[in-house]
Amino acid sequence: MSSERGRVLAVDPGEKRIGLAISDPTGTIANPLQVLKHVSRLIDAATIVQIAQEWGVVEIVIGQAIELDGTPGVMGRKAQRLAEAIRAQTEIPVVLWDESGSTQTARSARQKMGVKRSQRRGHMDDLAAVVILQSYLNSRDSVFPIEEE
C-alpha cells in the first residue's frame, strides 16, 4: 500500500465493460467515474493508465474476484493479468483488492436508495468500482488514521 495520500483509481474489470471509480483528492471518498468498453488487455491497460495520469492518481486498485478457498477464480486471474499490463505501462503502484460481492452490494445499494426496478437494470460496473474503492479506502484508514485537530 502506498503511504502517500491522494487520488486513488479503482478498476472493476468485467467481460464486456470495465467500471472505474475515483477518490476525492484526500483519498477518503469514492465516486463513480466512468465505464469503459472492454477492447483488449493492452488497450484497456493503456486507457486506464491514461485516465490515471489525467487525474493525477497515486495508486490504482484492481478488483479481483477471490474464490471461497482464497484463490483467484477465472475473473480473478484475468484481473491479475490486467494489473500486470498496467504495471508494465506506468510507475503508479497497482494493488489487487478482493472485490467479491461488489456488484451485489452495488445492486442492493441502488435498491435501498429507492431506485425503481426498471431503472436498476443495466450495468453496475462503475458502482461496483465505487464499492471496491470505498472498501479499500476504509481499510487504509485503519493503517493511516485520520488526524484529529
Side-chain angles (χ1 to χ4, degrees):
M1 284 188 233
S2 173
S3 61
E4 183 181 356
R5 288 291 190 154
R7 285 197 192 271
V8 179
L9 178 71
V11 180
D12 178 37
E15 292 280 353
K16 297 178 183 174
R17 291 175 299 275
I18 300 166
L20 300 179
I22 189 102
S23 76
D24 66 306
T26 67
T28 307
I29 301 169
N31 297 290
L33 183 59
Q34 70 185 94
V35 177
L36 304 174
K37 188 174 189 288
H38 167 64
V39 180
S40 74
R41 186 181 314 126
L42 290 178
I43 292 172
D44 295 345
T47 303
I48 292 164
V49 168
Q50 179 182 357
I51 290 167
Q53 291 169 339
E54 287 171 4
W55 281 88
V57 305
V58 298
E59 196 168 30
I60 300 171
V61 177
I62 311 282
Q64 180 182 37
I66 302 294
E67 300 293 328
L68 292 175
D69 65 2
T71 62
V74 173
M75 289 306 293
R77 290 190 296 275
K78 287 184 180 184
Q80 282 177 322
R81 291 191 293 273
L82 177 61
E84 290 165 11
I86 293 170
R87 285 182 185 120
Q89 298 182 37
T90 186
E91 295 294 316
I92 299 169
V94 178
V95 175
L96 287 161
W97 189 253
D98 183 7
E99 61 104 57
S100 303
S102 61
T103 299
Q104 185 56 42
T105 301
R107 187 174 287 121
S108 175
R110 285 182 79 178
Q111 189 173 1
K112 288 176 183 169
M113 290 187 309
V115 177
K116 293 179 184 170
R117 179 177 290 236
S118 61
Q119 294 172 329
R120 285 196 309 256
R121 291 199 180 103
H123 61 78
M124 293 279 168
D125 307 282
D126 56 345
L127 292 180
V130 168
V131 170
I132 292 165
L133 180 54
Q134 195 63 59
S135 164
Y136 176 76
L137 296 174
N138 291 349
S139 78
R140 285 195 331 177
D141 286 340
S142 63
V143 178
F144 304 108
I146 297 171
E147 295 177 17
E148 296 182 21
E149 294 182 21

